[in-house]
Amino acid sequence: MSKFVVNNVAGESGRKLPQYIAGLAASGGALAAGTFLGWTAPTDKPLTVEGEYGFPVSDEQFSWVGSISNLGAALMCFPIGYMMKLIGRKWSMLAMVLPLVLGWLLIIFAENVAMLMVGRFFLGVGGGAFCVAAPTYTAEIAQPSIRGTLGTFFQLMVTVGILFVYAVGAGVDVQVLSIICGVIPLVFGAIFFFMPESPYYFVEKGRYSEAASSLKWLRGAQYDENAEIEDLKQADEKVKAEAIPMLVAFRQKATVRALAISLGLMFFQQLSGINAVIFYNSAIFASANGGKEMSSASIIVGGIQVVATLLASVVVDKVGRRILLLVSDLMMAVSTILLAVYFQLKQDDPAKVDDLSWLAVLAVCLFIAMFSIGYGPVPWLMVGELFANNVKAFASPVAGVFNWLLAFLVTKVFTNLKDAMGEAGVFWLFSGISLLGTVFVFLVVPETKGKSLNNIQRLLAGEKLNADEPAGLPEPRDERDERPAQVA
């Protein structure tokens, strides 16, 4: 018998290996999303300085190329939810292969900046949809004992995708890099085609025999799926019975406060400067006089991001959400202060920093590591924990749209801010915002670790929880509408 077959104290049984396979297959979409997120870092100089594509690309134009994908992602936050209900989780993800491949084709054969921009927009559409659909699919196919582990696959694969682009981009030209990236969604589609549809989707549609077949695939032929199908029916009936109009939901104190906290976390996540650092770290290293001897710096940054994301998945349920956010934001502020000091010294007298190029690299690495263990994954985790199940379906996409629009803003204006304020000024600004974010977390954000959904709603509504009141077992959360850890 496979080691993935268990019978635990809660009565959970079935094979785990097929669930890991399906979860990894779904996370192939995250790998595709990571490639478009990291693509701008190794392609900035070849396109804007070296003119590798044979037509001029100004810094201003490249800022649009880098940022417009975020608009495409924001555009999909609501439609992908309707698509998943209409045609299912599996086919919604397979449909996103089309905009991804189209986007890469436009970039590969680009003859002007407009083709690059349209291609990047389509990549955002496909990648942004995966950021909603893949975690939803993973949460619905996994049994509770491995749901957390499978849930970390998505963010991990995003960081792997970014690292992959950094590593490959260091050795090939922009067109070859884009061809390689364009193959990834095709491989994903070929593999994911053979994965089962979410059993919850079939239950939603009243197609119980197909739900049973899906569970047999995921849990093994010997699995008795009847009890789980009954649980899924009850969960679906509960969600439908508790559904309330959006305007009514946003008149509830707990919902208003949850939204304020969620949007505040998204604001400070993006205004910390993460997308500017990820998209333009090559330019930052070059500006820091790194030159060729630091050509591997972006690869090192990508590796740190992968390791830190793994660490976050291990510690988030042990140390709590608030402490991770506080440490993360404070250390990001320290990192951007170091960058600001470095560039200030360089601006005053370049000779002062001849032997300090390592400082900029250290600061960027520290920033990425601290973001990845706290402000990267935790805000999205808290979106899933703060909202009641009956409002999550429209509250989560609101947070998603807000996040992607902020990502667009930061990515777009970074070059403009750098020109207007100087590199030192931009990083002083980012450090100030991170310090404000630390204060925001300390004063406003509650700790949700170990609290049931009911207690979290009581806390947000202004009720006082007794210090000796048992937290109770966390109630099953409706994870179907949650977004994953961000993406930068």
Side-chain angles (χ1 to χ4, degrees), residues 432-450:
I433 292 173
S434 290
L435 288 173
L436 285 175
T438 306
V439 175
F440 172 80
V441 173
F442 184 78
L443 296 178
V444 178
V445 178
E447 178 58 74
T448 58
K449 170 181 172 266

Side-chain angles (χ1 to χ4, degrees), residues 139-156:
E140 290 180 357
I141 66 166
Q143 290 176 293
S145 63
I146 61 170
R147 184 173 294 148
T149 301
L150 292 190
T152 64
F153 285 176
F154 186 89
Q155 179 65 11
L156 180 62

Side-chain angles (χ1 to χ4, degrees), residues 47-49 51 53 55-62 65 112-113 116:
L47 291 177
T48 60
V49 178
Y53 262 30
F55 54 84
V57 182
S58 67
D59 287 340
E60 172 68 15
Q61 289 172 325
F62 192 78
V65 171
N112 49 56
V113 174
L116 288 175

